[in-house]
Amino acid sequence: MMARGQHHSHDARGHGHGAQLNKNAWNKHCETYDRDSKDFVEKATTTMFHVLRNAGIPTKMHAQMKVLDFGAGTGNLAVPLLERLCGEVTAVDVSKGMLEYARKKMEAKKLEDRFRIINAEITAENVKAGVENDIKKDSDRCLYVEKEGYDMVLCSMVIHHMPDMVAAIKMFKSMLKPNGLLFIYEFEATDNAKAGALKDKKKSHGVFHAGLTPSTFMELMQAAGLKTLHSKHAFTFEFKDQTMDVLAGVAFKESTSRL
């Protein structure tokens, strides 16, 4: 399966060949993705705000808050973020088809003025300071992510696509403002995940890992220089004919940390 969760299609997650596999796979699933991922989206939306509150993060509207949604897919988590929490969402994904669905969704809800799209494979080299001021061409600007430009980075069901998880988390850290949050949904590394849905997906979907456990999440954050606020089983969801467990993790970038 590849419950890209709400998300899941993408970019710097499985650099190079892995990303290309994802782009090809997810462009094919654009029309059916929202239907197939309905159970995940409903549970992920409710759980996201619950986890943030439990981590001590106020979940009221912050008009100045900027979120980067890495592996945004069709924007199913970007919508509630814009409606309930933040002023702006930047959606990054390698799948043009998925992002077109996200764009139409935002237009229908009149959220398009607060929604930015980056249809590109983002790696650490694409994270730059002063993007808005220094990169003049819109076509170029859409290939870069602002360094220390976001109050929160959301990465939903993407980490298993990224060969070097520590490098990926360090990249997310570089995108965060001081005291910024990293929110991750990922397959929980249960026996079911290892033996079932993720076992044979490396070739077709660029899968490199069988998910995370609460302890491996904390170890991963520590290795990247982030402080864990939350790391627990979040929920179980149905995707087509499979049942999968999801871990939710939240970490933050201390204001004195180095990139």
Side-chain angles (χ1 to χ4, degrees), residues 57-84:
I57 311 302
T59 53
K60 60 183 180 180
M61 176 62 77
H62 300 273
Q64 302 304 312
M65 183 178 183
K66 293 184 177 182
V67 175
L68 184 133
D69 187 353
F70 192 86
T74 61
N76 286 321
L77 292 184
V79 169
L81 284 171
L82 286 169
E83 290 178 334
R84 298 170 55 182

PDB file of all heavy atoms in Angstrom, residues 57-84:
ATOM      1  N   ILE A  57       1.237  23.405  22.552  1.00  0.00           N
ATOM      2  CA  ILE A  57       1.181  24.381  21.468  1.00  0.00           C
ATOM      3  C   ILE A  57      -0.250  24.904  21.327  1.00  0.00           C
ATOM      4  O   ILE A  57      -1.169  24.114  21.065  1.00  0.00           O
ATOM      5  CB  ILE A  57       1.625  23.753  20.131  1.00  0.00           C
ATOM      6  CG1 ILE A  57       2.941  23.002  20.295  1.00  0.00           C
ATOM      7  CG2 ILE A  57       1.707  24.821  19.056  1.00  0.00           C
ATOM      8  CD1 ILE A  57       4.091  23.821  20.812  1.00  0.00           C
ATOM      9  N   PRO A  58      -0.475  26.198  21.500  1.00  0.00           N
ATOM     10  CA  PRO A  58      -1.834  26.741  21.332  1.00  0.00           C
ATOM     11  C   PRO A  58      -2.342  26.483  19.912  1.00  0.00           C
ATOM     12  O   PRO A  58      -1.625  26.711  18.933  1.00  0.00           O
ATOM     13  CB  PRO A  58      -1.637  28.247  21.574  1.00  0.00           C
ATOM     14  CG  PRO A  58      -0.376  28.351  22.366  1.00  0.00           C
ATOM     15  CD  PRO A  58       0.497  27.235  21.874  1.00  0.00           C
ATOM     16  N   THR A  59      -3.568  26.007  19.812  1.00  0.00           N
ATOM     17  CA  THR A  59      -4.121  25.684  18.491  1.00  0.00           C
ATOM     18  C   THR A  59      -5.204  26.679  18.086  1.00  0.00           C
ATOM     19  O   THR A  59      -6.240  26.332  17.544  1.00  0.00           O
ATOM     20  CB  THR A  59      -4.689  24.247  18.472  1.00  0.00           C
ATOM     21  OG1 THR A  59      -5.621  24.091  19.550  1.00  0.00           O
ATOM     22  CG2 THR A  59      -3.580  23.232  18.608  1.00  0.00           C
ATOM     23  N   LYS A  60      -4.933  27.943  18.341  1.00  0.00           N
ATOM     24  CA  LYS A  60      -5.807  29.011  17.851  1.00  0.00           C
ATOM     25  C   LYS A  60      -5.195  29.583  16.579  1.00  0.00           C
ATOM     26  O   LYS A  60      -4.046  29.303  16.233  1.00  0.00           O
ATOM     27  CB  LYS A  60      -5.951  30.099  18.906  1.00  0.00           C
ATOM     28  CG  LYS A  60      -4.644  30.744  19.308  1.00  0.00           C
ATOM     29  CD  LYS A  60      -4.847  31.767  20.415  1.00  0.00           C
ATOM     30  CE  LYS A  60      -3.506  32.414  20.818  1.00  0.00           C
ATOM     31  NZ  LYS A  60      -3.687  33.409  21.888  1.00  0.00           N
ATOM     32  N   MET A  61      -5.952  30.406  15.881  1.00  0.00           N
ATOM     33  CA  MET A  61      -5.467  30.975  14.633  1.00  0.00           C
ATOM     34  C   MET A  61      -4.337  31.976  14.878  1.00  0.00           C
ATOM     35  O   MET A  61      -4.448  32.864  15.721  1.00  0.00           O
ATOM     36  CB  MET A  61      -6.617  31.662  13.885  1.00  0.00           C
ATOM     37  CG  MET A  61      -6.195  32.366  12.601  1.00  0.00           C
ATOM     38  SD  MET A  61      -5.491  31.238  11.354  1.00  0.00           S
ATOM     39  CE  MET A  61      -6.997  30.485  10.718  1.00  0.00           C
ATOM     40  N   HIS A  62      -3.240  31.785  14.149  1.00  0.00           N
ATOM     41  CA  HIS A  62      -2.105  32.705  14.188  1.00  0.00           C
ATOM     42  C   HIS A  62      -1.911  33.228  12.762  1.00  0.00           C
ATOM     43  O   HIS A  62      -1.352  32.531  11.914  1.00  0.00           O
ATOM     44  CB  HIS A  62      -0.844  31.997  14.662  1.00  0.00           C
ATOM     45  CG  HIS A  62      -0.958  31.408  16.038  1.00  0.00           C
ATOM     46  ND1 HIS A  62      -0.682  32.122  17.185  1.00  0.00           N
ATOM     47  CD2 HIS A  62      -1.333  30.172  16.448  1.00  0.00           C
ATOM     48  CE1 HIS A  62      -0.871  31.350  18.235  1.00  0.00           C
ATOM     49  NE2 HIS A  62      -1.273  30.174  17.821  1.00  0.00           N
ATOM     50  N   ALA A  63      -2.335  34.446  12.516  1.00  0.00           N
ATOM     51  CA  ALA A  63      -2.325  34.975  11.150  1.00  0.00           C
ATOM     52  C   ALA A  63      -0.925  35.093  10.568  1.00  0.00           C
ATOM     53  O   ALA A  63      -0.743  35.022   9.347  1.00  0.00           O
ATOM     54  CB  ALA A  63      -3.018  36.340  11.128  1.00  0.00           C
ATOM     55  N   GLN A  64       0.077  35.264  11.423  1.00  0.00           N
ATOM     56  CA  GLN A  64       1.445  35.424  10.938  1.00  0.00           C
ATOM     57  C   GLN A  64       2.202  34.100  10.835  1.00  0.00           C
ATOM     58  O   GLN A  64       3.346  34.066  10.379  1.00  0.00           O
ATOM     59  CB  GLN A  64       2.216  36.374  11.869  1.00  0.00           C
ATOM     60  CG  GLN A  64       1.597  37.748  12.005  1.00  0.00           C
ATOM     61  CD  GLN A  64       1.401  38.437  10.675  1.00  0.00           C
ATOM     62  OE1 GLN A  64       2.313  38.471   9.844  1.00  0.00           O
ATOM     63  NE2 GLN A  64       0.204  38.972  10.446  1.00  0.00           N
ATOM     64  N   MET A  65       1.578  33.013  11.238  1.00  0.00           N
ATOM     65  CA  MET A  65       2.254  31.706  11.253  1.00  0.00           C
ATOM     66  C   MET A  65       2.389  31.148   9.840  1.00  0.00           C
ATOM     67  O   MET A  65       1.432  31.128   9.065  1.00  0.00           O
ATOM     68  CB  MET A  65       1.464  30.724  12.118  1.00  0.00           C
ATOM     69  CG  MET A  65       2.108  29.362  12.260  1.00  0.00           C
ATOM     70  SD  MET A  65       1.131  28.273  13.352  1.00  0.00           S
ATOM     71  CE  MET A  65       2.173  26.813  13.399  1.00  0.00           C
ATOM     72  N   LYS A  66       3.603  30.669   9.517  1.00  0.00           N
ATOM     73  CA  LYS A  66       3.869  30.074   8.216  1.00  0.00           C
ATOM     74  C   LYS A  66       4.217  28.597   8.384  1.00  0.00           C
ATOM     75  O   LYS A  66       5.066  28.252   9.205  1.00  0.00           O
ATOM     76  CB  LYS A  66       5.018  30.794   7.513  1.00  0.00           C
ATOM     77  CG  LYS A  66       4.698  32.228   7.126  1.00  0.00           C
ATOM     78  CD  LYS A  66       5.846  32.841   6.339  1.00  0.00           C
ATOM     79  CE  LYS A  66       5.507  34.259   5.892  1.00  0.00           C
ATOM     80  NZ  LYS A  66       6.598  34.848   5.073  1.00  0.00           N
ATOM     81  N   VAL A  67       3.562  27.754   7.598  1.00  0.00           N
ATOM     82  CA  VAL A  67       3.784  26.302   7.658  1.00  0.00           C
ATOM     83  C   VAL A  67       4.272  25.818   6.296  1.00  0.00           C
ATOM     84  O   VAL A  67       3.744  26.232   5.259  1.00  0.00           O
ATOM     85  CB  VAL A  67       2.488  25.558   8.035  1.00  0.00           C
ATOM     86  CG1 VAL A  67       2.696  24.039   7.964  1.00  0.00           C
ATOM     87  CG2 VAL A  67       2.035  25.957   9.442  1.00  0.00           C
ATOM     88  N   LEU A  68       5.269  24.953   6.312  1.00  0.00           N
ATOM     89  CA  LEU A  68       5.690  24.268   5.097  1.00  0.00           C
ATOM     90  C   LEU A  68       5.197  22.829   5.174  1.00  0.00           C
ATOM     91  O   LEU A  68       5.498  22.114   6.133  1.00  0.00           O
ATOM     92  CB  LEU A  68       7.214  24.294   4.928  1.00  0.00           C
ATOM     93  CG  LEU A  68       7.656  23.668   3.605  1.00  0.00           C
ATOM     94  CD1 LEU A  68       8.674  24.553   2.898  1.00  0.00           C
ATOM     95  CD2 LEU A  68       8.251  22.277   3.802  1.00  0.00           C
ATOM     96  N   ASP A  69       4.421  22.437   4.185  1.00  0.00           N
ATOM     97  CA  ASP A  69       3.831  21.096   4.120  1.00  0.00           C
ATOM     98  C   ASP A  69       4.654  20.287   3.120  1.00  0.00           C
ATOM     99  O   ASP A  69       4.491  20.414   1.912  1.00  0.00           O
ATOM    100  CB  ASP A  69       2.373  21.229   3.675  1.00  0.00           C
ATOM    101  CG  ASP A  69       1.613  19.923   3.728  1.00  0.00           C
ATOM    102  OD1 ASP A  69       2.237  18.882   3.972  1.00  0.00           O
ATOM    103  OD2 ASP A  69       0.386  19.952   3.508  1.00  0.00           O
ATOM    104  N   PHE A  70       5.549  19.448   3.637  1.00  0.00           N
ATOM    105  CA  PHE A  70       6.530  18.749   2.805  1.00  0.00           C
ATOM    106  C   PHE A  70       5.976  17.385   2.381  1.00  0.00           C
ATOM    107  O   PHE A  70       5.792  16.486   3.192  1.00  0.00           O
ATOM    108  CB  PHE A  70       7.820  18.570   3.608  1.00  0.00           C
ATOM    109  CG  PHE A  70       9.000  18.118   2.796  1.00  0.00           C
ATOM    110  CD1 PHE A  70       9.801  19.040   2.141  1.00  0.00           C
ATOM    111  CD2 PHE A  70       9.323  16.782   2.694  1.00  0.00           C
ATOM    112  CE1 PHE A  70      10.899  18.632   1.407  1.00  0.00           C
ATOM    113  CE2 PHE A  70      10.418  16.361   1.959  1.00  0.00           C
ATOM    114  CZ  PHE A  70      11.207  17.289   1.310  1.00  0.00           C
ATOM    115  N   GLY A  71       5.696  17.242   1.095  1.00  0.00           N
ATOM    116  CA  GLY A  71       5.016  16.047   0.606  1.00  0.00           C
ATOM    117  C   GLY A  71       3.525  16.234   0.743  1.00  0.00           C
ATOM    118  O   GLY A  71       2.800  15.392   1.262  1.00  0.00           O
ATOM    119  N   ALA A  72       3.038  17.395   0.272  1.00  0.00           N
ATOM    120  CA  ALA A  72       1.683  17.856   0.579  1.00  0.00           C
ATOM    121  C   ALA A  72       0.579  17.069  -0.099  1.00  0.00           C
ATOM    122  O   ALA A  72      -0.570  17.115   0.318  1.00  0.00           O
ATOM    123  CB  ALA A  72       1.544  19.336   0.194  1.00  0.00           C
ATOM    124  N   GLY A  73       0.910  16.361  -1.182  1.00  0.00           N
ATOM    125  CA  GLY A  73      -0.131  15.614  -1.877  1.00  0.00           C
ATOM    126  C   GLY A  73      -1.236  16.523  -2.365  1.00  0.00           C
ATOM    127  O   GLY A  73      -1.000  17.573  -2.956  1.00  0.00           O
ATOM    128  N   THR A  74      -2.487  16.154  -2.095  1.00  0.00           N
ATOM    129  CA  THR A  74      -3.634  16.943  -2.552  1.00  0.00           C
ATOM    130  C   THR A  74      -4.083  17.977  -1.525  1.00  0.00           C
ATOM    131  O   THR A  74      -5.178  18.527  -1.634  1.00  0.00           O
ATOM    132  CB  THR A  74      -4.818  16.018  -2.899  1.00  0.00           C
ATOM    133  OG1 THR A  74      -5.202  15.286  -1.723  1.00  0.00           O
ATOM    134  CG2 THR A  74      -4.452  15.052  -4.004  1.00  0.00           C
ATOM    135  N   GLY A  75      -3.256  18.237  -0.526  1.00  0.00           N
ATOM    136  CA  GLY A  75      -3.533  19.327   0.407  1.00  0.00           C
ATOM    137  C   GLY A  75      -4.540  19.033   1.489  1.00  0.00           C
ATOM    138  O   GLY A  75      -5.119  19.953   2.082  1.00  0.00           O
ATOM    139  N   ASN A  76      -4.732  17.772   1.814  1.00  0.00           N
ATOM    140  CA  ASN A  76      -5.777  17.425   2.777  1.00  0.00           C
ATOM    141  C   ASN A  76      -5.497  17.877   4.207  1.00  0.00           C
ATOM    142  O   ASN A  76      -6.436  18.081   4.980  1.00  0.00           O
ATOM    143  CB  ASN A  76      -6.026  15.913   2.767  1.00  0.00           C
ATOM    144  CG  ASN A  76      -6.774  15.469   1.539  1.00  0.00           C
ATOM    145  OD1 ASN A  76      -7.679  16.151   1.083  1.00  0.00           O
ATOM    146  ND2 ASN A  76      -6.400  14.332   0.974  1.00  0.00           N
ATOM    147  N   LEU A  77      -4.244  18.044   4.579  1.00  0.00           N
ATOM    148  CA  LEU A  77      -3.933  18.592   5.896  1.00  0.00           C
ATOM    149  C   LEU A  77      -3.670  20.093   5.821  1.00  0.00           C
ATOM    150  O   LEU A  77      -3.778  20.796   6.824  1.00  0.00           O
ATOM    151  CB  LEU A  77      -2.737  17.867   6.517  1.00  0.00           C
ATOM    152  CG  LEU A  77      -2.984  16.414   6.911  1.00  0.00           C
ATOM    153  CD1 LEU A  77      -1.765  15.825   7.613  1.00  0.00           C
ATOM    154  CD2 LEU A  77      -4.212  16.250   7.788  1.00  0.00           C
ATOM    155  N   ALA A  78      -3.317  20.584   4.649  1.00  0.00           N
ATOM    156  CA  ALA A  78      -3.129  22.025   4.488  1.00  0.00           C
ATOM    157  C   ALA A  78      -4.437  22.780   4.686  1.00  0.00           C
ATOM    158  O   ALA A  78      -4.450  23.892   5.233  1.00  0.00           O
ATOM    159  CB  ALA A  78      -2.554  22.324   3.102  1.00  0.00           C
ATOM    160  N   VAL A  79      -5.537  22.190   4.267  1.00  0.00           N
ATOM    161  CA  VAL A  79      -6.842  22.857   4.404  1.00  0.00           C
ATOM    162  C   VAL A  79      -7.166  23.155   5.865  1.00  0.00           C
ATOM    163  O   VAL A  79      -7.430  24.316   6.222  1.00  0.00           O
ATOM    164  CB  VAL A  79      -7.964  22.039   3.735  1.00  0.00           C
ATOM    165  CG1 VAL A  79      -9.336  22.595   4.125  1.00  0.00           C
ATOM    166  CG2 VAL A  79      -7.807  22.044   2.226  1.00  0.00           C
ATOM    167  N   PRO A  80      -7.193  22.162   6.768  1.00  0.00           N
ATOM    168  CA  PRO A  80      -7.505  22.492   8.160  1.00  0.00           C
ATOM    169  C   PRO A  80      -6.459  23.395   8.813  1.00  0.00           C
ATOM    170  O   PRO A  80      -6.798  24.188   9.704  1.00  0.00           O
ATOM    171  CB  PRO A  80      -7.576  21.129   8.846  1.00  0.00           C
ATOM    172  CG  PRO A  80      -6.848  20.188   7.949  1.00  0.00           C
ATOM    173  CD  PRO A  80      -7.067  20.698   6.575  1.00  0.00           C
ATOM    174  N   LEU A  81      -5.208  23.308   8.395  1.00  0.00           N
ATOM    175  CA  LEU A  81      -4.200  24.216   8.928  1.00  0.00           C
ATOM    176  C   LEU A  81      -4.540  25.663   8.581  1.00  0.00           C
ATOM    177  O   LEU A  81      -4.463  26.561   9.434  1.00  0.00           O
ATOM    178  CB  LEU A  81      -2.820  23.858   8.386  1.00  0.00           C
ATOM    179  CG  LEU A  81      -2.151  22.619   8.998  1.00  0.00           C
ATOM    180  CD1 LEU A  81      -0.886  22.260   8.213  1.00  0.00           C
ATOM    181  CD2 LEU A  81      -1.804  22.854  10.473  1.00  0.00           C
ATOM    182  N   LEU A  82      -4.914  25.905   7.337  1.00  0.00           N
ATOM    183  CA  LEU A  82      -5.269  27.258   6.925  1.00  0.00           C
ATOM    184  C   LEU A  82      -6.579  27.726   7.565  1.00  0.00           C
ATOM    185  O   LEU A  82      -6.741  28.905   7.875  1.00  0.00           O
ATOM    186  CB  LEU A  82      -5.391  27.324   5.400  1.00  0.00           C
ATOM    187  CG  LEU A  82      -4.068  27.296   4.640  1.00  0.00           C
ATOM    188  CD1 LEU A  82      -4.316  27.093   3.149  1.00  0.00           C
ATOM    189  CD2 LEU A  82      -3.286  28.584   4.870  1.00  0.00           C
ATOM    190  N   GLU A  83      -7.498  26.816   7.754  1.00  0.00           N
ATOM    191  CA  GLU A  83      -8.797  27.190   8.328  1.00  0.00           C
ATOM    192  C   GLU A  83      -8.734  27.418   9.827  1.00  0.00           C
ATOM    193  O   GLU A  83      -9.496  28.216  10.371  1.00  0.00           O
ATOM    194  CB  GLU A  83      -9.827  26.101   8.028  1.00  0.00           C
ATOM    195  CG  GLU A  83     -10.220  26.014   6.565  1.00  0.00           C
ATOM    196  CD  GLU A  83     -11.197  24.900   6.279  1.00  0.00           C
ATOM    197  OE1 GLU A  83     -11.218  23.897   7.045  1.00  0.00           O
ATOM    198  OE2 GLU A  83     -11.940  25.003   5.281  1.00  0.00           O
ATOM    199  N   ARG A  84      -7.796  26.737  10.526  1.00  0.00           N
ATOM    200  CA  ARG A  84      -7.842  26.748  11.988  1.00  0.00           C
ATOM    201  C   ARG A  84      -6.571  27.220  12.688  1.00  0.00           C
ATOM    202  O   ARG A  84      -6.618  27.510  13.879  1.00  0.00           O
ATOM    203  CB  ARG A  84      -8.176  25.335  12.484  1.00  0.00           C
ATOM    204  CG  ARG A  84      -9.526  24.835  12.041  1.00  0.00           C
ATOM    205  CD  ARG A  84      -9.726  23.360  12.348  1.00  0.00           C
ATOM    206  NE  ARG A  84      -9.520  23.035  13.747  1.00  0.00           N
ATOM    207  CZ  ARG A  84      -9.604  21.798  14.251  1.00  0.00           C
ATOM    208  NH1 ARG A  84      -9.867  20.782  13.433  1.00  0.00           N
ATOM    209  NH2 ARG A  84      -9.410  21.581  15.525  1.00  0.00           N
TER     210      ARG A  84
END
